[in-house]
Amino acid sequence: MNRIDNLFKDRKFAHIFYLTVGEFPIEEELEIIKAVIESGGDCLELGIPFSDPLADGATIQEAMQEALRRGTSLKDVLKLVERIRESSDIPLLLMGYYNPFYQYGIERICRDAKERGVDGFIIPDLPPEEAKELMENAKRYDLRTVFLLAPTSNEERYRIVGSATTGFIYYVSVKGTTGEREELPRDIEEKVPRIKEITGKPVVVGFGISKREHIDWLRRFADGAVTGSALLRILKEHRDDKERMLTEVRKFVSDLCKDDKIES
Amino acid sequence: MAMKGYFGEFGGRFVPETLLPALEELEEAYERLKNSREFRAKLDYYLRNYAGRPTPLYFAERLTRELGGAKIYLKREDLLHTGAHKINNAIGQALLAMEMGKRRIIAETGAGQHGVATATVCALFGLDCVIYMGEEDIRRQKLNVFRMRLLGAEVVPVKSGSRTLKDAINEALRDWITNVDTTHYLLGSVVGPHPYPTIVRDFQSVIGEETRRQILEIEGRLPDYLIACVGGGSNSIGFFHPFFNDKEVKFIGVEGGGDERGHSASLGKGRVGVLHGSKTYLLQDGEGQILTTHSIAAGLDYPGVGPEHSFYKEIGRAEYVAVSDRQALEAFEILSRLEGIIPALESAHAIAYCLELAPKCPKDSVIIVNLSGRGDKDLSEIMEAMER
């Protein structure tokens, strides 16, 4: 069984949160993750730090540099997964650039990831055309491969990505890199339903999502939303005061996730 | 499965989905235009009348006599407008961008040569120009920064990562992801996602095509060796590629051997990985993180290399060697004194290897070195290095 399969059960809206692994010591990271889960997070994307994160804006770039400065590797990420699994069954996705996975070995990462309790991968610089090896091995180990669509994608891309993706489609809301935004492009409202219609897959929206209003709007037509940079900013702002940091994380996450059942 | 955009197992298109349509559009436009008589004529016009092609193939008589072996010829790309081969590709891609209706150009630069070439063609064609350059490189190459600004380009300092060329490419890609509808990314080397390695190679192949004609005319035969420096690898691929089927012509690519601070010999000492959209040899640690490189020649100071070079290495078509900063500096002085030609530090790497090879060759053999750029840009750096 794969935990992602339950994520969209009963047409529930999935609140997904992204964290760059290794920005904080592992014990602190576990507390942050616990706070996210207890405040309503449905799924976690664990970001693998990379030296050249070309799809990321300043917030995630800085988090990755800090994680690398602390010597974080893919092995450390797997260790974290193991620890999370001691107390939680939340769906977990590894999100990162291709080279660290490629160097680790694609078959080996699929095997090790499955063993530790990972449910799938999101690799933003690996379009389906380049992902044959990953897709074969992920299938073999019952892991999901989430591919992305963007505002520049046409309907032919919807079909290609739709048939390659397993679990869900990650729709990139804006032309641009990751990072908080005041407003989201209005055309998401037409694009997401069209993608769902063509692909028949759940569609989760990410990039720029940082506010309650965003979630309220997206919930009307999307299957979930990913929040990353906004959460990382809170961690950074309060990094010297852990208790305050955890309080703010709880406040932020529960504000984004509250009233879910009433509205849906 | 069709391996589109691959050279053997190298190359590909490892980019975020947002960029795929732009790469498709670029590929489609290029395929349509590359054989169009009108486009070729326009390109040829600017290469001749603006850039100064064809460049001479010069017999380096004193250098040949001094070394006492093979006859040495220099392909004089240093004589081109803006002082290096980079202008060949900049003109080609600017024409391509205009055909696609894109009037905003972005580019990365390390030493500043590609930035200057791009700023130059943007001034020539009246295009908006933004150049990304690492903060560290801006400090080292003040003169080129001034040049670009004089030409009307906006130079954006890159403060992320190691603040050098690879980070400038990351930042240019981020700009492109954001402004892809209006913007053409004028990539300066044979790196990046398909179709860039092919497009840049084709625009630089004019170097090898001319050389082939010229040496046949002068010597009545093909050369024994072609030697060129390799950073990303655009001057060398453009030089080598037209000789690919001439099996008797040996290719030697010279990488930056650096000093105790490090090197930039991706092909010599790297492992296969994925960076900036293609699968190729890279300098990286055991975890797949990209390493910081060092070369006295800023144009060689890059942890990756064009995928076609990785392919040439794999099939044994080219041999890749490295020479140190110090050897390059010696070669720089020797060429200046013996031939009255001050080479770019990048090109001095190719000369340095020629100094080793030529004495071991019979007198009737022929070596051609691609002198990819002139050394004016390096003078302050060299004054500093000589004082050390």
Side-chain angles (χ1 to χ4, degrees):
Chain A
M1 82 109 209
N2 188 299
R3 297 170 192 87
I4 290 169
D5 302 343
N6 293 329
L7 196 52
F8 307 98
K9 235 169 47 185
D10 308 322
R11 301 189 48 225
K12 187 186 165 326
F13 187 85
H15 297 280
I16 304 174
F17 290 87
Y18 167 95
L19 278 168
T20 299
V21 177
E23 195 188 358
F24 297 90
I26 186 164
E27 298 304 329
E28 219 165 302
E29 231 150 33
L30 285 164
E31 287 183 76
I32 296 165
I33 287 167
K34 187 162 166 259
V36 172
I37 297 173
E38 287 175 358
S39 309
D42 299 310
C43 173
L44 289 176
E45 290 178 13
L46 300 175
I48 320 297
F50 183 50
S51 52
D52 295 82
L54 56 84
D56 284 301
T59 307
I60 293 179
Q61 284 177 41
E62 281 161 25
M64 285 190 172
Q65 270 182 22
E66 175 61 18
L68 289 176
R69 204 187 52 75
R70 298 173 41 83
T72 311
S73 70
L74 203 41
K75 290 189 198 94
D76 298 312
V77 178
L78 293 176
K79 239 174 264 164
L80 179 71
V81 171
E82 213 165 34
R83 294 289 304 277
I84 296 171
R85 282 287 170 252
E86 287 171 6
S87 59
S88 172
D89 240 345
I90 189 168
L92 292 174
L93 291 151
L94 299 187
M95 179 164 196
Y97 294 85
Y98 190 49
N99 199 49
F101 294 117
Y102 183 69
Q103 298 308 321
Y104 191 95
I106 296 304
E107 208 252 309
R108 186 173 156 226
I109 187 61
C110 289
R111 188 193 59 209
D112 291 358
K114 183 69 187 181
E115 198 183 288
R116 308 293 160 81
V118 170
D119 299 292
F121 299 98
I122 307 178
I123 305 182
D125 61 345
L126 191 74
E129 287 84 346
E130 305 290 357
K132 192 164 166 256
E133 192 184 1
L134 179 76
M135 285 157 70
E136 283 170 3
N137 283 289
K139 193 171 173 197
R140 184 168 153 206
Y141 289 98
D142 188 33
L143 290 160
R144 301 293 174 259
T145 47
V146 172
F147 290 100
L148 297 89
L149 280 170
T152 52
S153 309
N154 57 23
E155 297 201 347
E156 190 195 336
R157 295 299 305 167
Y158 293 0
R159 285 185 194 94
I160 294 169
V161 168
S163 66
T165 208
T166 54
F168 58 91
I169 286 171
Y170 188 126
Y171 181 71
V172 175
S173 69
V174 293
K175 285 172 211 149
T177 51
T178 56
E180 298 170 66
R181 294 192 174 52
E182 264 312 298
E183 286 190 30
L184 300 176
R186 299 308 296 178
D187 68 352
I188 303 177
E189 205 168 7
E190 284 95 54
K191 297 222 167 158
V192 167
R194 184 74 185 133
I195 294 169
K196 292 177 64 154
E197 185 186 325
I198 290 181
T199 64
K201 301 273 170 78
V203 177
V204 158
V205 180
F207 280 41
I209 291 148
S210 51
K211 296 195 294 193
R212 175 73 202 181
E213 294 96 289
H214 295 159
I215 303 282
D216 285 339
W217 180 54
L218 291 173
R219 162 183 288 160
R220 288 167 24 201
F221 50 85
D223 299 294
V226 185
T227 305
S229 296
L231 178 62
L232 295 194
R233 183 176 48 77
I234 290 167
L235 301 182
K236 195 178 161 189
E237 255 171 43
H238 304 288
R239 66 177 314 141
D240 298 324
D241 181 352
K242 196 179 78 185
E243 288 315 312
R244 177 79 196 279
M245 177 170 83
L246 293 173
T247 309
E248 294 296 327
V249 167
R250 284 176 199 279
K251 216 157 65 181
F252 176 73
V253 173
S254 54
D255 181 53
L256 289 188
C257 303
K258 75 183 171 195
D259 296 333
D260 204 7
K261 290 181 186 69
I262 300 165
E263 290 195 17
S264 61
Chain B
M1 183 175 159
M3 297 297 267
K4 184 172 147 189
Y6 273 84
F7 306 93
E9 60 165 308
F10 304 102
R13 206 173 247 181
F14 296 82
V15 293
E17 181 72 26
T18 311
L19 291 181
L20 282 177
L23 293 169
E24 295 279 353
E25 182 194 6
L26 179 61
E27 183 182 12
E28 188 272 325
Y30 179 66
E31 289 302 320
R32 180 162 46 80
L33 290 167
K34 73 175 184 191
N35 298 319
S36 131
R37 193 172 300 168
E38 202 185 332
F39 183 80
R40 303 289 333 172
K42 215 186 281 179
L43 178 60
D44 190 59
Y45 172 84
Y46 286 106
L47 288 177
R48 276 176 188 281
N49 301 299
Y50 187 75
R53 303 214 71 93
T55 59
L57 184 66
Y58 166 73
F59 175 48
E61 198 177 343
R62 289 194 70 207
L63 185 64
T64 298
R65 209 181 312 137
E66 180 77 17
L67 297 176
K71 291 177 86 168
I72 300 164
Y73 285 85
L74 304 177
K75 178 61 174 167
R76 299 292 309 275
E77 293 298 293
D78 61 316
L79 292 176
L80 286 171
H81 182 44
T82 69
H85 71 288
K86 293 289 185 190
I87 193 81
N88 300 326
N89 169 55
I91 292 175
Q93 280 196 50
L95 292 173
L96 201 52
M98 288 189 292
E99 290 285 346
M100 290 188 293
K102 297 195 170 177
R103 306 211 50 102
R104 180 176 180 266
I105 302 290
I106 58 171
E108 82 296 342
T109 199
Q113 287 309 104
H114 174 58
V116 167
T118 303
T120 298
V121 299
C122 288
L124 170 67
F125 297 122
L127 304 170
D128 293 335
C129 182
V130 178
I131 305 290
Y132 289 93
M133 187 169 186
E135 225 175 28
E136 180 59 20
D137 290 330
I138 286 185
R139 191 189 58 74
R140 290 192 284 193
Q141 302 283 341
K142 286 200 186 77
L143 191 62
N144 271 341
V145 174
F146 182 66
R147 238 177 229 151
M148 288 184 266
R149 289 185 172 145
L150 204 59
L151 291 159
E154 181 191 345
V155 180
V156 179
V158 176
K159 298 180 169 102
S160 57
S162 61
R163 305 172 183 204
T164 58
L165 179 58
K166 83 172 170 72
D167 308 283
I169 296 179
N170 291 337
E171 213 52 44
L173 285 167
R174 290 181 188 121
D175 179 317
W176 203 30
I177 290 173
T178 310
N179 301 297
V180 63
D181 297 337
T182 59
T183 299
H184 174 65
Y185 180 15
L186 206 161
L187 191 47
S189 195
V190 286
V191 301
H194 175 68
Y196 280 106
T198 301
I199 291 180
V200 179
R201 177 202 65 202
D202 289 356
F203 285 140
Q204 292 295 359
S205 288
V206 65
I207 305 171
E209 285 157 13
E210 279 177 15
T211 303
R212 201 170 181 286
R213 274 199 303 276
Q214 289 165 320
I215 197 68
L216 286 174
E217 201 171 295
I218 301 168
E219 288 285 338
R221 52 164 290 200
L222 291 170
D224 298 283
Y225 291 97
L226 297 179
I227 306 178
C229 63
V230 182
S234 70
N235 91 81
S236 42
I237 269 299
F239 189 42
F240 294 164
H241 186 260
F243 292 88
F244 185 84
N245 293 321
D246 303 313
K247 297 293 177 215
E248 68 273 33
V249 181
K250 297 182 194 71
F251 302 163
I252 298 173
V254 186
E255 297 189 294
D259 62 13
E260 66 284 344
R261 285 172 288 177
H263 63 86
S264 59
S266 326
L267 288 159
K269 296 185 177 165
R271 292 197 326 276
V272 177
V274 173
L275 178 68
H276 293 150
S278 67
K279 186 182 280 186
T280 189
Y281 277 86
L282 299 177
L283 294 171
Q284 55 183 321
D285 69 12
E287 311 289 342
Q289 307 297 342
I290 308 307
L291 294 174
T292 306
T293 53
H294 165 78
S295 169
I296 192 170
L300 305 185
D301 205 350
Y302 177 66
V305 66
E308 195 167 0
H309 282 293
S310 294
F311 175 61
Y312 282 15
K313 175 190 159 90
E314 206 73 1
I315 60 170
R317 181 63 187 90
E319 183 190 351
Y320 295 91
V321 298
V323 309
S324 67
D325 285 356
R326 187 221 277 270
Q327 287 172 289
L329 278 170
E330 281 167 12
F332 175 88
E333 283 184 63
I334 288 170
L335 195 71
S336 299
R337 298 233 177 108
L338 282 180
E339 295 290 348
I341 295 171
I342 300 177
L345 276 174
E346 291 78 9
S347 321
H349 282 71
I351 298 290
Y353 191 75
C354 176
L355 298 180
E356 272 183 33
L357 178 67
K360 298 177 203 155
C361 297
K363 283 189 191 271
D364 60 349
S365 58
V366 172
I367 295 175
I368 309 178
V369 179
N370 190 28
L371 204 68
S372 54
R374 67 172 185 233
D376 308 43
K377 69 181 174 65
D378 298 316
L379 296 182
S380 65
E381 187 87 2
I382 286 166
M383 277 160 65
E384 243 175 70
M386 282 176 170
E387 279 161 19
R388 271 203 296 271

